[in-house]
Structures are given as C-alpha cells and as structure tokens.
C-alpha cells in the first residue's frame, strides 16, 4: 500500500512538473503567407498587422500567460503546393502551436487538410473564398478575414435596387467565383438583376474582349447599369476599362474596397459606391486609433486594408490563450474560440460556433476625391454591423 501511494505521488509530481514546464515553453506561431509572389503586397501588410496585434494585445510584452511569443515566417510564394508543404513543416518539424495565413484562397484550400491532419488550429487571414469555411471547412479552421458572403452582402446593399442591371468581372479561381456566387445570392430580393458574368485569368493584361462582352450585355438595358469588379492583386482592370469609356453606354464601374495603391484608380471614379472591409479613417475605437498612430509613426503611412486583418488575427490568438490559461491544447483552444468575442481595429469580432467565421462590421462607402490624397477616399455611408447582415452558414 505504501509503495502504491509513493508511486501515485511520484506520478502526480511528474504531471505537475510537466504542466509547469509546458507553461514556461514559448507560444510558437507560424505565419504562413505569400512573402513573395503575386499577392506579396497583401502579405507584407498582413505580417505587419499580425506583429502589431500581438504587441497591442500583450501591452508590448510579447508574452501571454507567462509564455513568450515566437513567430516563425513561412513563404507560400502564392503556390498551393508550397503553402501545403510549408504548413506541414511548421506543424511537424517546427512544432508550432498555431498557424496564421495564407493570403490566397487557392493556397488556403490546399492548406486546410494539413491543419486537420496535424490536428492544430489554423487562423485563415486574409483569404476570402466562402468554401474555406464552407464546403472545405474542418473544425481546426478559424477565420478572422471577411468571407465572400460578407463582401457580397455589403456590396449588394450598396448597389442593389429596383431597375438595376449588373455585370461582373472576376478572376477565374476560388476568390472570384465564390465572390460572384455570393454576390448573385445577396442581390436576391434587392430588385437588382445580375445579367452577365465574366471570368478571366489572374494574369490577364488585355481586357478588351471581356469589356466588349460586358458592354454588349448591358448597353441596351433600360435601367441603371453597373459593372461590378471583384479583383485581388496586380493587373487590376478598373483603370483599363475606364479608359474604354463605359459611360458612353451609361455603364458605371463599381467595386469593393482595396489596398491604398489599388485605390489610386478610384480617383477617376468620384461618387462610386461600394462596400469595404477596412479603411483606416472609418472605424472609431481605441484599437484603431493606436494602429493608425503607431503605423504612421513607424512606416510613414497609414495602415492598409490587410494590416487590420493581420492585427485581428494576432489579437484573437492572445485572447484565446488567455481564455485557456496559457494552454495550447487544440481541443481547449477550439472550445475557447468557438463563440469568442475579441477586439480588433474594426471593433468587436465574434467567431461563429457553426463555421468559425469571424462575424464583423462592413462599410458602405462613396468615393470622394481630394487633390492632396493620391487615392479615392471611401467616405462612410453606413456601417453594416454584425446584426445587420445575415451571413449564410455554408458548411
């Protein structure tokens, strides 16, 4: 009996010491994103935002629940096979506790099964395709980025009305096709009609033929007419299509928000309406105030579209680990994150339990132009809050 008690006490001491040791281990985060490749600008913003989010949420200590935060960076190069291998390396060889990324929806879809295989959490940021938290979802996936449906519903509010006809131009991969599908669904009940869909490769340079098909589909319509563009990365077609004078057919160009460099083309479109995920002057809260001030001080420019998303991911990680008391056990993290509310530069977000999509505000804007600002300025028309949008669960 005495020997058995001694064995039990020894086992308890091993468990206790193991638990204490785990608490002293660093919190290892992998940022798996396109450091190079076609969406490199997005990736850079996302990485800056992630690091600033971790900094803000830990009051500058880069430590949570006694665990120092380490961030490892992996480059997907914007390629699905590279992203898949990089995430497997992060979970396996590097033994990270949690991963964030990637930029491209196509890369994200390749990475989702890796999180399931290793049974570790992946926070998707900023990839957008609905299928990520829809048909390809698994329980290890959480997303701080907005999804295609959130984009679509917000833009449908901005453009949808009786006697409105719309054509779309989108890239021919998951981001573009999911975006158009969601937009078409969101228009239902607004009175507007989607009359033409045009898809082109992501590296398209000449939009003449596509624009002509769109013009032909819209020009004879007796209504208000929009060409709605869904585009990510370089080769944005707005400037080139604007040069083809769609206004001769009374066709208006419309699109959602974008990075500041892309919104230079919006200067030619004063009065254009759409919806955006983030513009640094729109949200009014302490987190965004800090981000704008610190980013301007450190980088000489305001935070951009994907900086806010990266920051949201960092703040979500810290909040989740606080809720678990420092544990990064996967089941404990998932339990903590399902339904979790957390603060971001956009205000409060909440991970919906059913599909782990972050519910969040979107912003209906109208473009204003000022001589001393090099891009078209999205001025807030209406904030669409969480309760204003019925975002479908697609998984």
């Amino acid at each position: 009996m005495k020997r058995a008690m001694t064995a039990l006490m020894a086992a308890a001491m091993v468990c206790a010491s193991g638990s204490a040791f785990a608490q002293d281990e660093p919190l290892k985060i992998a940022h798996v994103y396109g450091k190079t490749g076609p969406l490199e600008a997005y990736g850079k913003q996302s990485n800056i935002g992630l690091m600033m989010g971790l900094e803000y949420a830990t009051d500058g200590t880069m430590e949570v629940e006694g665990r120092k935060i380490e961030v490892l960076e992996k480059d997907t190069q914007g390629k699905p096979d590279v992203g898949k291998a990089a995430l497997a390396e992060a979970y396996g060889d590097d033994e990270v506790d949690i991963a964030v990324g990637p930029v491209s929806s196509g890369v994200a879809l390749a990475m989702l099964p890796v999180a399931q295989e290793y049974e570790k959490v992946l926070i998707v940021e900023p990839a957008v395709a609905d299928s990520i938290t829809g048909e390809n979802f698994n329980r290890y996936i959480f997303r701080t980025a907005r999804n295609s449906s959130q984009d679509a519903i917000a833009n449908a509010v901005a453009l949808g009305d009786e006697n409105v006809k719309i054509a779309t131009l989108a890239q021919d991969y998951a981001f573009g096709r999911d975006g158009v599908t969601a937009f078409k669904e969101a228009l239902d009940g607004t009175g507007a009609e989607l009359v033409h869909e045009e898809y082109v490769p992501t590296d398209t340079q000449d939009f003449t033929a596509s624009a002509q098909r769109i013009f032909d589909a819209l020009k004879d319509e007796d209504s208000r007419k929009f060409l709605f563009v869904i585009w990510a990365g370089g080769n944005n077609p707005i400037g080139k299509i604007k040069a083809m004078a769609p206004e001769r057919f009374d066709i208006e160009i419309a699109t959602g928000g974008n990075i500041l460099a892309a919104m230079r083309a919006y200067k030619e479109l004063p009065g254009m309406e759409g919806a955006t995920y983030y513009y640094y002057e729109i949200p009014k809260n302490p987190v965004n105030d800090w981000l704008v001030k610190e980013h301007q001080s450190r980088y000489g420019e305001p935070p951009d579209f994907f900086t806010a998303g990266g920051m949201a991911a960092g703040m979500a990680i810290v909040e989740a680990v606080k809720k678990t008391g420092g544990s990064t056990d996967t089941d404990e993290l998932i339990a903590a994150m399902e339904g979790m509310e957390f603060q971001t530069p956009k205000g409060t977000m909440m991970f919906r339990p059913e599909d782990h999509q972050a519910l969040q505000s979107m912003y209906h804007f109208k473009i204003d132009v000022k001589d001393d600002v090099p891009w078209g300025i999205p001025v807030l028309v209406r904030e669409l809050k969480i309760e204003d949008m019925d975002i479908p669960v697609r998984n």
Side-chain angles (χ1 to χ4, degrees), residues 24-327:
D24 291 338
E25 290 179 349
L27 168 60
K28 296 176 73 173
I29 302 166
H31 193 196
V32 186
Y33 69 107
K35 295 182 69 172
T36 58
L39 301 178
E40 179 180 342
Y42 297 2
K44 182 179 179 181
Q45 293 172 24
S46 182
N47 183 253
I48 289 172
L50 174 64
M51 300 308 294
M52 293 184 76
L54 295 170
E55 177 187 348
Y56 183 90
T58 61
D59 294 323
T61 65
M62 294 299 280
E63 184 176 302
V64 56
E65 295 293 319
R67 299 180 65 176
K68 292 193 177 297
I69 296 172
E70 294 180 4
V71 179
L72 290 71
E73 295 184 23
K74 304 279 186 180
D75 186 6
T76 70
Q77 302 172 33
K79 300 175 181 177
D81 57 336
V82 176
K84 184 176 181 179
L87 184 61
E89 181 181 68
Y91 286 145
D93 297 346
D94 299 319
E95 298 183 335
V96 301
D97 300 295
I98 194 166
V100 178
V103 179
S104 162
S105 291
V107 177
L109 291 170
M111 287 168 54
L112 304 186
V114 179
Q116 187 168 30
E117 177 186 350
Y118 284 88
E119 299 183 344
K120 289 192 176 183
V121 169
L122 169 64
I123 296 180
V124 174
E125 174 62 52
V128 176
D130 270 345
S131 48
I132 293 166
T133 45
E135 62 189 88
N136 296 101
F137 170 78
N138 65 66
R139 69 187 293 260
Y140 305 99
I141 306 307
F142 288 79
R143 174 158 52 184
T144 47
R146 91 283 189 196
N147 65 18
S148 292
S149 289
Q150 288 165 316
D151 268 351
I153 290 170
N155 278 288
V157 168
L159 303 180
D161 204 351
E162 296 292 338
N163 202 35
V164 167
K165 298 292 192 292
I166 302 174
T168 57
L169 173 63
Q171 290 155 306
D172 194 8
Y173 77 111
F175 166 73
R177 288 194 172 271
D178 280 15
V180 171
T181 298
F183 182 61
K184 185 171 15 178
E185 182 180 301
L187 286 175
D188 188 35
T190 66
E193 181 184 355
L194 183 59
V195 299
H196 182 79
E197 300 172 28
E198 188 77 20
Y199 298 95
V200 296
T202 58
D203 59 354
T204 299
Q205 299 288 336
D206 185 354
F207 296 92
T208 306
S210 293
Q212 191 58 57
R213 285 190 289 270
I214 291 166
F215 294 167
D216 288 345
L218 287 174
K219 64 183 182 181
D220 294 327
E221 295 285 354
D222 184 20
S223 61
R224 191 175 184 192
K225 295 171 279 194
F226 289 105
L227 163 56
F228 182 59
V229 179
I230 299 176
W231 200 268
N235 305 324
N236 193 301
I238 289 177
K240 294 177 180 178
I241 292 176
K242 176 64 176 172
M244 298 179 205
E247 63 273 12
R248 62 199 157 105
F249 303 116
D250 297 320
I251 296 171
E252 303 174 54
I253 295 176
T255 192
N258 211 319
I259 63 173
L260 299 179
M263 290 201 298
R264 288 174 179 266
Y266 295 13
K267 272 201 100 161
E268 303 301 317
L269 302 165
M272 181 185 76
E273 293 190 55
T276 190
Y277 164 82
Y278 177 80
Y279 179 69
Y280 72 97
E281 291 183 326
I282 292 178
K284 306 298 181 186
N285 61 70
V287 179
N288 194 54
D289 291 346
W290 180 88
L291 172 60
V292 172
K293 180 181 178 182
E294 287 299 316
H295 197 281
Q296 187 71 50
S297 173
R298 298 177 193 187
Y299 301 101
E301 59 186 11
D304 216 328
F305 197 81
F306 295 104
T307 318
M311 188 170 184
M315 295 184 73
I317 291 172
V318 173
E319 181 64 21
V321 175
K322 284 180 178 178
K323 285 175 71 71
T324 65
S327 171

